[in-house]
Amino acid sequence: MRYWHHGPRGGMPWVWPGIVFLLFGLLVVLLAVLWRVAGQHRTTGGPAPRWGSAPPPARHAEAERLLGERLARGEIEVEEYRRRLAALRGEPGEERSAGEGPD
């Protein structure tokens, strides 16, 4: 009657189901991460864009069009238009000095 409470292996038969449960959870997380990364490569043709990178070409053309419309309506001056257009295209532009521009 020595094993009446814990079985023949002692008091640790709960350890293996716990380990299996943790390994299964890690496998699920790993598969979710891989699925997310693979989905980004499939939809964009590469990894997701980082902050500060150039916008995709379609959005870039839209931004230039909107900038041209603002110039045509007189909302911005030609110098402001050129500065912002250069910034959109990633060209080096002139920086404003501290005393210039609206306050």
Side-chain angles (χ1 to χ4, degrees):
M1 286 298 232
R2 195 169 112 190
Y3 304 116
W4 70 272
H5 184 65
H6 299 292
R9 288 181 295 255
M12 305 257 303
W14 54 269
V15 170
W16 292 113
I19 291 173
V20 170
F21 180 75
L22 287 175
L23 290 175
F24 180 74
L26 289 174
L27 179 66
V28 168
V29 168
L30 178 67
L31 289 175
V33 168
L34 289 175
W35 183 53
R36 173 79 172 151
V37 170
Q40 287 178 346
H41 282 278
R42 212 172 321 131
T43 58
T44 63
R50 298 186 180 275
W51 287 100
S53 63
R59 292 187 64 205
H60 189 72
E62 176 72 10
E64 285 187 18
R65 183 185 65 78
L66 290 173
L67 191 59
E69 287 178 6
R70 288 187 66 194
L71 176 66
R73 287 192 299 260
E75 294 177 8
I76 57 174
E77 298 294 323
V78 175
E79 292 302 319
E80 179 74 9
Y81 171 78
R82 287 183 183 151
R83 186 179 61 79
R84 288 183 182 217
L85 188 61
L88 277 173
R89 292 180 177 169
E91 301 167 358
E94 297 177 14
E95 294 295 323
R96 264 193 216 186
S97 7
E100 292 184 86
D103 291 309

